[in-house]
Amino acid sequence: MTTTVAAPATTAPVAKAKVRRGWTQHGLLFVGPFLLIYVAFLVWPTLLGFQMSLSSVNIAGANNDFVGFGNYAEAFGDPRMWRSLWNTVVFTVLSTIPLVLLGLLFALLVHNLRFMQWLWRLSFFGPFLLPSAVVSILWLQMIYPPDYGLINGTLGTDVLWLGDPSVAMWSVVLTTVWWTVGFNFLLYLAALQSIPQHLYEAAAIDGASAWDKLRSITLPLLRRTTGLIVVLQLVASLKVFDQIYLMTSGGPQDATRPIIEYAYDIGFTGYRIGYASAVSYILFVLIVIVSLVQLRLFRKREEVTP
């Protein structure tokens, strides 16, 4: 009579552990190049910048004395820093709201069009492909000139759109909305096209109107996309620099100077790299806080919504 000997119970777990170890090793080979680039061009510069914010280093690398959080204390007591931070917040609020709402509105319009839809997509998304320098020159030379600009010529006014402190920020916001709304439009349009059509057909059978479909089907299913767009837009607006620097250079009377431009002026005009790094990290912390709060708010809404 032959006796069968059972295999040890530990054979299967050991084999699975070897398989997992093999997958881990192969995975590291694939992600290794990206990790090297990520550390070299993001992690290391971030740590180096924080180290510089704790020193008095200038643009020539001299006077590299450790000052601790002295630069941060100076920044919090600097009225121009607070003015530039306030300008950044104002620009963020004024630009984020229309960029989200107009992006949704344009996407709804194009999604429901059946005639030359490709042309409308190109029309709304086309400006986003233009470089910031081209957009700035276009609006500086054709839209905002007080004598022959398109707006003053059409309305018959003589407003200094970029020279009046009371309207300069609104002018930059208008340019930014025209330039960048196409990105949000494209995200919303892709999300609309992914909504199952049978949901609308079932609602139509139940007698739902177009407004009922929008309120009960479209907007709830776009909640995740809206959360993503709001976070991306907030971060992008808080980091505004290009168009303001090219169009107003922070003027008039510092009415449009964002905090990144203030850090740029301090570092490359005032040669105080350490202090400029501290101002930059104040903005970095603000962006992280805003992003986390916004993500938390949208997560709570999803948990509450049935």
Side-chain angles (χ1 to χ4, degrees), residues 42-86:
L42 185 63
V43 177
W44 171 245
T46 300
L47 297 177
L48 181 62
F50 181 70
Q51 179 187 359
M52 296 172 65
S53 71
L54 303 177
S55 68
S56 59
V57 62
N58 60 30
I59 197 170
N63 300 325
N64 192 8
D65 299 326
F66 180 77
V67 296
F69 290 96
N71 288 328
Y72 292 91
E74 181 181 353
F76 284 117
D78 185 355
R80 293 194 66 190
M81 194 283 294
W82 285 109
R83 175 67 184 277
S84 63
L85 183 59
W86 173 250

Side-chain angles (χ1 to χ4, degrees), residues 247-263:
M247 297 178 69
T248 66
S249 297
Q253 303 175 15
D254 287 347
T256 61
R257 187 183 307 278
I259 191 170
I260 288 186
E261 184 177 344
Y262 182 58

